[in-house]
Amino acid sequence: MTQAFNMADLSTALPEVVLSLVAMVILMLDFIVPKGRRDWLGYLSVLGVLLTLMVLCRQWGATQSAFSGQYLIDPFALFFKILFLASGGLIILMSIGYLRGEGADSGEFYALILFATLGMMLMASAVDLLILYIGLETMSICIYVLAGFLKRERRSNEAALKYLLMGGFSSAIILYGIVMLYGLTGATGLKEIASTLTADTLSNPALILAMVMLAAGFGFKIAAVPFHMYIPDVYEGAPTPITALLAAASEIAGLVILLRVFLVAIPGLQDRWALLFYVLSLLTMTVGNVVAIAQSNIKRMLAYSSIAHIGYLLIGVVAGRELGISATLLYTVVYALMTLGAFAMVILLCVGEVKGERIDDFAGLAQRSPMAAAAMLILLLSLAGVPPTAGFVGKLYLFGAAIERGYILLALIAVVNSAISLFYYMKVAVAMYMRDLPPAGLALSPSRPLRVVLFVTVVGTLAIGIYPGPFLDLAKSSIAGLW
Amino acid sequence: MRGAGCGVRGAMTGTVPLSAYLILSAALFAIGVIGVVIRRNALIIFMAIELMLNAVNLTFVAFSKFLGSMDGQIIVFFVMAVAAAEVALGLAIIIALYRNKESVNVDDINLLKG
């Protein structure tokens, strides 16, 4: 019998080990560093993320499984791990100024973000239903705490409770799907499940039930309509950096396990789940975009817009195979960049009593700070999918993949939806450029880390928009050998 | 699924059939789902979610026994640990809310709407 645990396995998971060590060190330093000087724990966390990235990049191009085949290092996992780490680093950078403003600076906050990122990395590498579940819960439990981090603020309490109840509920549904798969096949590894399922068992109603349960549970995690009810409330109530974490990282992590499970474990049912995701994608983008029009709170508007973007991402899953999945991968990067940028702008406007959460708070921004207004305009154009931004390129490949595979109607509806979305994004742009500055407007004083976040996201959005080639090649090479 | 159970049942004469476990756990799971949907007290909703998780645990153990594989029982340990962490956290969040709001009824938790 082979050894259950050895050093080779541990070195395969070295980036995860490094990240968890960094998070624990931050937790301990939290006791030593006096309140008010905990900013530098944030900078230390970012250094830890960079260190993890360096360790991670040594796995470039490698494919290796560890821990009795439960954990897999492959280009697909690496792609998403880099994305999660980068998002985590940017979110920590934008938290530093935010926490100081709220008077809640603490090392726990950074440590929890790091642990949540660790959970996402586990999810990206999981090829076993158990590891997948553990990763999912590691991420979720950290985010429950983070959503309720501002203990004295009732909206934050509410967001945490709602997210906890819906998160627990959806986890239970996912588990029921997992147990069904286990009962049918006697295996928990995704590859083993696929090889055990024969043409005979593929029509088993229990398998269909398992598929529907998993799709519903993942639907909750990625905020697909009709499982989205709690999302706008949670987004509005949670501290803004955590809203960014939820939108840009946690939803993408949900999408990663969705892709893994459906593509690797039950590819035999592709006809059925493609239909399921077709309906989900259609509902998600339409409801997300239509409801977003009526919002006056920018965090709620961005919540609905993120729901709509999940709908676009699902188009790639429906289209499937190299073209669709690589378009989905490319769009996850684009989506993460522009969402992080947009939430960083909300934090930027959070000065004194103004929370920066109403669309009215953006009025006259062009007079207050032309640079900030220009940055926001680029992000909004990218969210709406206008060239030459990344949003346009991402959508072009997604919709192109749908058309190539014969889903003309879906692509058409997606284009109509993009047009609708332009309307409410431009509402913010009009407020920035056409309306006068309210007399009470204070001068903006963005902290240095926040400037870095805005710079990175805006430049990234433009870079992918103007020169998408290398990013598309990376997405394409990342899905090689996935199924 | 029933086929898988029947095949093994012969070897386990005198024991409760797999289908009985599955029906019981499906019923428990359904009760949990109904509890989450219709009850308005955050604590009761929380208990209903625990019921769902335990229904899943029962299914895992039953399958594990009838398939002769240990994986299911191992997973149950992990699910129990995660559920315990979730409960600890959930109660903390409910207490934080109660301090600000003096209520655990989800209908009173209505600051965020849209």
Side-chain angles (χ1 to χ4, degrees):
Chain A
M1 201 182 145
T2 52
Q3 218 177 336
F5 181 85
N6 56 40
M7 285 317 280
D9 285 348
L10 209 56
S11 69
T12 316
L14 193 62
E16 286 80 356
V17 174
V18 171
L19 189 65
S20 48
L21 285 178
V22 170
M24 285 180 222
V25 168
I26 300 283
L27 263 186
M28 281 188 277
L29 286 177
D30 191 36
F31 289 108
I32 303 166
V33 180
K35 207 168 162 51
R37 305 204 36 201
R38 289 178 181 152
D39 284 5
W40 72 268
L41 289 179
Y43 296 112
L44 201 64
S45 310
V46 176
L47 277 182
V49 168
L50 289 177
L51 180 69
T52 314
L53 266 176
M54 272 159 55
V55 178
L56 191 65
C57 283
R58 288 174 51 211
Q59 296 175 349
W60 192 272
T63 303
Q64 195 184 348
S65 75
F67 300 108
S68 326
Q70 293 185 315
Y71 202 76
L72 181 71
I73 310 283
D74 62 353
F76 179 77
L78 189 74
F79 180 89
F80 283 106
K81 283 181 188 176
I82 293 175
L83 181 63
F84 295 146
L85 278 172
S87 310
L90 290 175
I91 287 159
I92 291 171
L93 281 177
M94 58 171 115
S95 316
I96 294 173
Y98 180 85
L99 287 180
R100 203 189 304 132
E102 294 286 335
D105 70 330
S106 83
E108 283 165 54
F109 195 86
Y110 308 120
L112 283 167
I113 292 179
L114 293 178
F115 280 127
T117 314
L118 175 71
M120 292 171 206
M121 290 172 72
L122 287 179
M123 286 157 84
S125 266
V127 283
D128 187 281
L129 292 170
L130 175 60
I131 305 290
L132 185 144
Y133 174 71
I134 301 290
L136 180 67
E137 289 298 319
T138 310
M139 175 191 83
S140 301
I141 287 180
C142 294
I143 299 182
Y144 300 150
V145 186
L146 288 168
F149 201 79
L150 304 174
K151 276 175 292 202
R152 300 195 192 292
E153 205 171 310
R154 253 172 55 190
R155 295 197 309 162
S156 182
N157 297 154
E158 268 191 45
L161 184 66
K162 280 181 179 162
Y163 191 49
L164 175 87
L165 292 178
M166 294 320 288
F169 185 63
S170 58
S171 294
I173 291 176
I174 292 175
L175 264 183
Y176 206 79
I178 291 178
V179 76
M180 285 291 166
L181 278 184
Y182 172 66
L184 281 167
T185 60
T188 53
L190 300 181
K191 279 252 159 62
E192 289 85 69
I193 289 173
S195 59
T196 319
L197 291 173
T198 52
D200 198 32
T201 40
L202 275 181
S203 56
N204 191 326
L207 184 63
I208 308 296
L209 179 69
M211 181 192 84
V212 173
M213 286 285 204
L214 285 171
F218 293 151
F220 272 107
K221 297 291 179 196
I222 63 173
V225 175
F227 313 109
H228 71 294
M229 316 75 71
Y230 67 106
I231 284 289
D233 291 354
V234 174
Y235 276 32
E236 189 189 337
T240 313
I242 299 314
T243 313
L245 180 72
L246 273 165
S250 132
E251 282 182 10
I252 293 176
L255 192 72
V256 176
I257 51 173
L258 183 149
L259 285 173
R260 273 259 203 234
V261 169
F262 283 87
L263 288 173
V264 180
I266 44 177
L269 285 174
Q270 181 146 27
D271 298 346
R272 295 182 194 238
W273 57 253
L275 183 69
L276 196 65
F277 288 127
Y278 185 98
V279 177
L280 279 184
S281 161
L282 235 163
L283 279 175
T284 307
M285 58 191 174
T286 311
V287 172
N289 277 320
V290 170
V291 183
I293 295 176
Q295 304 306 321
S296 59
N297 179 308
I298 188 130
K299 276 167 91 176
R300 276 192 103 77
M301 190 198 93
L302 286 171
Y304 281 108
S305 117
S306 88
I307 293 173
H309 280 97
I310 291 296
Y312 301 140
L313 280 166
L314 284 176
I315 295 176
V317 182
V318 174
R321 288 294 140 182
E322 286 80 3
L323 209 57
I325 306 298
S326 63
T328 301
L329 257 64
L330 178 69
Y331 202 70
T332 53
V333 180
V334 173
Y335 166 72
L337 273 175
M338 54 201 192
T339 313
L340 286 174
F343 282 111
M345 281 302 297
V346 176
I347 296 176
L348 175 75
L349 286 185
C350 184
V351 183
E353 289 301 301
V354 181
K355 285 270 176 253
E357 290 182 7
R358 291 173 309 140
I359 292 180
D360 294 345
D361 292 340
F362 280 81
L365 185 66
Q367 296 163 29
R368 249 164 119 187
S369 165
M371 282 290 280
M376 186 63 179
L377 186 65
I378 290 169
L379 293 167
L380 287 170
L381 288 176
S382 178
L383 282 163
V386 176
T389 54
F392 172 74
V393 174
K395 277 184 185 163
L396 188 68
Y397 285 114
L398 272 177
F399 300 172
I403 291 170
E404 190 93 0
R405 304 274 296 172
Y407 295 100
I408 311 283
L409 183 67
L410 191 62
L412 206 65
I413 293 174
V415 171
V416 172
N417 265 300
S418 300
I420 298 175
S421 74
L422 193 61
F423 173 74
Y424 61 82
Y425 292 128
M426 284 311 113
K427 228 164 56 171
V428 181
V430 166
M432 290 191 308
Y433 281 96
M434 307 289 189
R435 280 164 56 185
D436 282 333
L437 189 65
L442 290 161
L444 292 177
S445 56
S447 63
R448 201 167 294 132
L450 192 62
R451 281 173 207 248
V452 173
V453 175
L454 278 171
F455 180 78
V456 170
T457 50
V458 171
V459 169
T461 307
L462 283 176
I464 299 182
I466 293 165
Y467 194 52
F471 297 95
L472 191 67
D473 290 342
L474 181 63
K476 278 195 179 132
S477 65
S478 296
I479 55 166
L482 178 58
W483 52 81
Chain B
M1 182 167 42
R2 195 180 294 147
C6 290
V8 195
R9 207 191 323 172
M12 317 247 335
T13 42
T15 54
V16 183
L18 176 63
S19 56
Y21 289 104
L22 294 186
I23 291 168
L24 174 65
S25 60
L28 283 175
F29 191 82
I31 293 170
V33 172
I34 293 168
V36 171
V37 174
I38 66 169
R39 296 304 291 262
R40 304 271 44 107
N41 184 311
L43 287 165
I44 306 276
I45 294 179
F46 217 58
M47 283 162 63
I49 290 173
E50 291 303 308
L51 192 62
M52 289 165 73
L53 289 175
N54 282 319
V56 172
N57 282 349
L58 182 61
T59 323
F60 265 124
V61 175
F63 274 138
S64 173
K65 175 80 179 159
F66 279 83
L67 291 168
S69 109
M70 284 301 287
D71 294 2
Q73 304 199 21
I74 309 277
I75 294 178
V76 169
F77 278 110
F78 282 95
V79 174
M80 277 158 60
V82 167
E86 233 171 43
V87 169
L89 195 65
L91 292 179
I93 289 173
I94 291 174
I95 288 173
L97 186 71
Y98 187 78
R99 282 199 180 136
N100 288 335
K101 177 93 190 159
E102 305 268 302
S103 166
V104 289
N105 189 319
V106 286
D107 288 332
D108 294 337
I109 303 172
N110 51 10
L111 223 56
L112 304 165
K113 246 190 210 151

